[in-house]
């Protein structure tokens, strides 16, 4: 029973239970707590980096120093062992509330790390000591905060699974040439994962992943990222000009032009992490406008905006959209955890992984669109206030629109992919 | 790895993992399995009852006979002890796939039953033996398949919490007069829960719930339900003319005009069950059109519809919408389970329950709209075929539109309620 | 200045200027007036024919008797000379307010008539007396109320420009075999225009139009139309079994599989007339719900629904949608009038006509979707009332959904067509 | 007939007829032609002013020098006599294609000018020579390119019809104090129209319009406009500190708190001009992305983007939206022309003007939302390209979002206004 039985109106209650997403594993809880501890400092820098388009090196260093970027690494190698995709998504919502560009930058590092952990897990289960050893070097470096990675896949005028960036033989090793765009996190990365075309043994072409230190001769991270939003993500072009690559840095992943199992295993969880970031932007926009509506008065009546019916109606639509974003991304995270826990790396089939990617794309298509709507409603509710350059809402409005461009499918292709898989059509070459 | 590495096209794979909702408790699993066993027979009768607008007595009797309607009753009293709201929602999705009118009818019985079980649970915990005994008589009757209940709340021209149906004193007992609409399940009900105005001790008015056997003199269930959809739900008007009611059949629930704790505890889980039914319609529409797209060919090329890009695009949008409906209703179910498990009946506050109802309304507003869109997309994808009267899709199109009218909030008021609670406004009188 | 300066509230003013569409030619004004005079009687029969699925023969006979069906025929041949496509659209909005099934039935007759008038006009301008004479017989029969036509184009499993219905040679004449669906107006038609495949002189195939009296041996109009909505439109299947057709009843219109100039000239204005009917349904739904909101009171306050803010908000969205439907269909009508007035039949190019059809499809895609939304909002605003089977709103909800299925493009293909033409792509075979 | 009968595909035809809006009066045609002649130079400066947030003085001076800003002034006073609201809207679409900020700046001058012309017209008809003379001085100054005006109405925390900016008596004249926001065009204005509260003779308060030269002591145009979009519109705050105002510069327009006839006559056509600007942004976005789709190729197939089905589908949706924007704004313009031509200033009633404003708000609510969607689709179709800061699409995405904030109704209030007027409710105080 309420203490005060006055009629509805001016007196505001404690805000309703907010039902933010919560991690479901113990390691995840520790990981998310680390992220949360860094938020105030990250948030404080966000506006300035957005305005100038500069990369938030301090924020990334902080996430490295406090162990966040090592969260997925096994405890034995210096990390937290937080391998739940669901909890990864939760962590991304938190970071994005402070600075979405930091969140997607961190995610770029996390997707490579998660992949290595999964392979390491499999190698351990299979007793593949050679592989274990190689992976442990990498993971220990991440675990000890000595290594940040990023990935570059996109090239203009071609699809993700048909890169023009190519490997040519060079004795026992290879030479890499090409140019990639959208190299998020590249200003801070020690190592870049690069997709490339490589010649197969039978004369055909393969899709490969190449691991290249950013300090290798011939690698140039341009400083040319200048966009509508996500201005602090450092999503520069990266050039590879006659870069020498040793043989063991090249992993062929399957036929050129196909969504290979390796590709799907990287971009499934990886994209879902990104989706979490966009849900986090929506949460932040809700927070901003809710604060405003609970404190601003208008008109001679001086009534709080929160007590106006049309405000409640619009805010209610915002809440419904946000609740849906959370539910959708959380359920997708749980479905991926179910799958990856049940099926080890070496047993996963391409068809299963195409289906797993369907779940990810469902979440992506839904959340990246609905999050735009949520931010848009927040802007509407703010009156003109949110349209000011200095309002965080105007940054969110620009940032959130990046969501639908997240690879590997364009917003239009994403629906086709989801629909095709749902209808049982073989979509393995649909990334073209 | 796929057995056949041919290019995408005609050859359809096994349909992708469908990810339907699954119960999370053991009792719920048994309960849902009972529902599923009855689906084929229920589905077979659906078209005829829809066309004629007749009540599916056989289907309801079957659900009574096989123990489904007793699922929530404690095992000690003849039921399954399935009290999870999440699993209740899952059961509703299943029934609605076969016949949505049967699902919402069953739900009308379940919401009263769940409420009695919760009070029984609390009485047991508090050692209130008098109450326990009274409740056990009721629950045992349900558990043994001897009692079906329904509830009537709506009246034209007034709000749910301001009924004109009224109790007047009659010695130690009461006389009930009034007329209610939308008495879903009334043709099969043995007992009706009726909301009414009653005089309070202090001269003010109270909102009360009255339990009335349908065989009481003065109770008339009209046979006047004739609507666009849900034609088999028996949602008739029910008249109460000078009905004598004993004192212990009247439960005052709080101030007239307020969303009282009792009211919220009935209509929170109860409405979420209904929402599950609408998600189930969306699932059924997906199933119908998917089957059609996977088998129909068109044009001189004779290509399967499933392999056309624009079909995949639209079906992908349908899938995204359905995935969102499932995620949203499942998360709401889990949130309610968390709450009701943690907080017993006697400790629940009105503010918490208003917040719980917010979660329900978020799900209702989202799912009842998105399910309409899903069915609409299925109709589009069917070409003219789904527009034929004999197509199950045309029935679903009519049935699914009922969702937004489900009480206690109209579609417009629902958003205001969600928004108001989210902004911390006291919405206890917002049901007016 | 208003007579009464009381505050906003209960006192309703005269309804705002409604801005319905008005004819722009004198002949059109006379034509629309004739339509309007018949509306009350047509409206009165609508509910019964909808319930029973029977064809409204009386209504169609009335439109024939009062000269409406002859409106487009030149005055010299007994008609009104109302050839404006814009005014045709306006007439359709009026009829559809009373009974949308009558409107689309009448439209089926009008599209063939308009086509004949255009050819007659061209023959006259070119002094082609042989042709003139033949056409005058036909048009005079329409002008004198002795001839009703309909057209059948659709066949399951193939596209509109690739009919399986075929002509085979039979001496100087032809034999027609095939089966068509969606033969709207067929129960009242004296003559049917049928699309068919015919052998070309060079061995290739042509798309042809065949004019067949319904009394010809071998023609069977089935009575099998039974659909979700438009239940009184008589859109039956029509069978053609070894129907003998004289040579001069067959008009080759161009390459089989192409949107030929003849096809485009029939289906451009013809579809726009249909679109007008759907705008008319939206108008009728607005009228229904507006009446209800201006007279119903609710709750203890007894306030008129019209004075509630959330009602005004939703009704405002309905109004905006309706205003847009009207503006869109009117502008498309004017664009077609501009074109057809400027360019005579014999000078029209296929590319121009493809572009004209783009304008029609823009209007169709917009209006058939927005009209669904308008009716949906009206249903929402009605509370449960509009969901009753006896409410005209529930009929409108079923009728209006037929709009997007109107040929020659499916709802999905329609956007591709519009987009392709807009981008300068050659879409002449896009009807496949 | 097409020259080349090859199948659809690579070969692009001439773009389809674009159907841009065209002026309907001779004076309007001359006026729009003047606007068009200035577009290339204006467009060239747009990006730089947007980036720096500077006011495009050169562009405004050009529009003054070439006579555009005098277009509405009677020919006898140096203008073109272009008084059609429809043609004003058309002119705004043209300017906005080059620079939307220039368009809305020019519009701010035009709305005051149009108002003065209408009053002048009325004075002439009524033979009110005193008034004529005063107005002719003003209009001649505009006609000769010596005077630019702007208007300021908005204040934070109150409604448009309840300004806190106030007049207090000062001998025969007045003293003005207050602060206004969103003073679009203020950096170039010679004169500002200011809404203010003034004491009425009966002790009540009136809403008044005050004409203040920007050079008056106490007037300060701040340089503080810094927003998400429309960055070159100079929409600064303007302060009035003890500004002395002569008696004849103050025009009482009616009761404080009401949408007075004067207010409605200014903001009806004035807002519709703004709406035209947002339709123009949508046109420009279509042009940008159409060019890209007609020239870019993708993937190993190297197919033009324009020939891809999913591209055509999305572009088709864009086209439908744009066609609707054009139709809606054009019809509203024609309705206003009909009204203002038929009813002179001195005969117009408040109820009629509230209804006229309803037509304007219908167009505003539709176009400002649909234009956002059109630009959003263009961004989607551009792939990542449009998200680059240097792409005009990213500027349009920011600019177009300003539309719904255009006064006098917020996006939420706008629907209520439209709905209330449509239902016959007296909405004269709804601007509060």
């Amino acid at each position: 029973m309420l203490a005060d039985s006055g009629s509805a109106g001016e007196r505001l209650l404690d805000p309703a239970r907010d039902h933010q997403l919560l991690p479901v594993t113990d390691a995840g809880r520790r990981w998310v707590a680390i992220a949360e501890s860094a938020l105030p400092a990250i948030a404080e820098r966000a506006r300035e980096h957005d305005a100038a388009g500069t990369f938030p090196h301090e924020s990334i260093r902080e996430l490295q120093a406090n162990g966040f970027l090592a969260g997925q690494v096994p405890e034995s190698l210096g990390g937290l062992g937080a391998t739940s995709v669901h909890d990864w998504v939760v962590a991304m919502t938190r970071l994005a509330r402070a600075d979405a560009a930091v969140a997607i930058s961190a995610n770029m590092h996390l997707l490579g790390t998660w992949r290595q952990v999964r392979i390491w897990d499999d190698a351990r289960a299979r007793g593949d000591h050679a592989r274990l050893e190689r992976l442990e070097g990498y993971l220990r470096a991440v675990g000890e905060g000595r290594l940040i990675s990023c990935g570059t896949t996109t090239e203009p005028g071609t699809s993700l699974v048909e890169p023009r960036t190519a490997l040519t033989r060079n004795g026992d090793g290879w030479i890499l040439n090409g140019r990639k765009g959208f190299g998020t996190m590249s200003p801070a990365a020690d190592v870049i994962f690069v997709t490339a075309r490589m010649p197969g043994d039978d004369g055909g072409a393969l899709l490969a992943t190449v691991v290249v230190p950013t300090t290798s001769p011939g690698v140039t991270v341009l400083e040319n990222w200048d966009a509508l939003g996500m201005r602090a993500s450092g999503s520069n072009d990266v050039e590879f000009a006659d870069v020498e690559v040793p043989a063991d840095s090249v992993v062929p992943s399957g036929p050129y032009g196909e969504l290979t199992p390796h590709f799907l295993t990287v971009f499934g969880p990886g994209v879902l992490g990104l989706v979490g970031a966009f849900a986090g932007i929506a949460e932040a926009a809700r927070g901003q406008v809710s604060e405003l509506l609970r404190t601003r008065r208008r008109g001679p009546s001086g009534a709080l905006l929160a007590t106006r019916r049309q405000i409640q109606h619009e805010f209610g639509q915002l809440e419904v959209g946000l609740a849906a974003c959370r539910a959708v991304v959380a359920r997708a995270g749980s479905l991926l955890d179910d799958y990856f826990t049940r099926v080890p790396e070496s047993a996963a089939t391409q068809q299963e992984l195409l289906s797993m990617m369907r779940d990810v794309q469902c979440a992506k298509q839904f959340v990246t669109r609905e999050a735009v709507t949520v931010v848009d409603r927040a802007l509407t509710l703010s009156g003109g206030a949110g349209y000011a350059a200095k309002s965080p809402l105007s940054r969110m409005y620009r940032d959130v629109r990046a969501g639908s461009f997240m690879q590997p499918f364009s917003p239009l292709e994403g629906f086709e992919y989801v629909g095709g898989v749902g209808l049982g059509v073989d979509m393995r070459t649909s990334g073209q």
Side-chain angles (χ1 to χ4, degrees), chain A residues 336-416:
Chain A
L336 263 64
D337 280 345
D338 287 352
Y339 175 70
F340 285 117
T341 306
R342 192 165 42 76
V343 181
E345 170 72 11
S346 50
T349 68
Q350 192 176 17
Q351 187 178 347
E352 282 169 2
L353 291 165
L354 287 163
S355 178
M356 176 276 300
M357 179 56 106
R358 190 265 307 252
D359 300 334
V360 172
Q361 291 302 314
C362 267
K364 183 211 164 190
Q365 295 294 80
F366 182 83
V367 173
T368 59
R369 299 212 302 182
E370 188 62 34
V372 167
T373 302
V374 166
V375 176
D376 189 83
R377 290 190 193 281
L379 208 53
T380 294
L381 284 161
S382 78
Y387 197 71
K390 68 173 184 243
S391 165
L393 285 172
S394 72
R395 170 164 53 92
M396 293 169 195
Y397 189 71
R398 291 181 286 101
D399 284 354
V400 76
R401 189 58 181 81
S404 71
F405 295 120
M406 297 292 124
Q407 297 281 12
F409 297 104
S410 78
L412 305 179
E413 294 161 346
F415 284 120
E416 282 173 27

Side-chain angles (χ1 to χ4, degrees), chain A residues 40-120:
Chain A
I42 292 172
E44 197 157 323
R45 300 175 196 115
R47 177 160 155 62
E48 193 180 337
H49 286 298
D50 171 63
T54 46
F55 188 79
H57 283 286
E58 326 84 302
S59 295
I60 296 298
R61 269 199 299 270
E62 211 160 290
L63 293 174
Q64 190 171 29
N66 70 12
F68 179 78
L69 294 183
Q72 301 158 315
V73 171
E75 289 186 89
S76 61
L77 301 173
L80 299 169
T83 57
S84 158
V85 176
H86 178 280
D87 293 354
W88 172 0
V89 166
V90 175
M92 284 300 109
T93 64
R94 300 300 195 273
L95 286 185
R97 294 182 197 168
D99 187 339
V102 167
I104 68 168
S105 297
N107 194 75
M108 201 54 78
H109 165 81
L110 297 178
L111 68 85
T113 307
W114 188 88
R115 182 76 187 108
Q116 302 299 317
V117 171
R118 179 161 164 86
I119 298 170
W120 174 86

Side-chain angles (χ1 to χ4, degrees), chain A residues 152 154-156 163-168 175-181 194-197 218-220 222 237-243:
Chain A
T152 59
T154 310
E155 300 177 30
R164 287 167 183 156
T165 296
L167 291 162
T168 47
I175 297 284
L176 180 70
N177 275 290
R179 181 181 176 134
K180 297 282 185 176
V194 187
T195 50
R197 174 183 185 123
V219 175
T220 312
L222 281 76
D237 288 352
V238 184
E239 279 182 355
F240 305 93
D242 292 329
V243 180

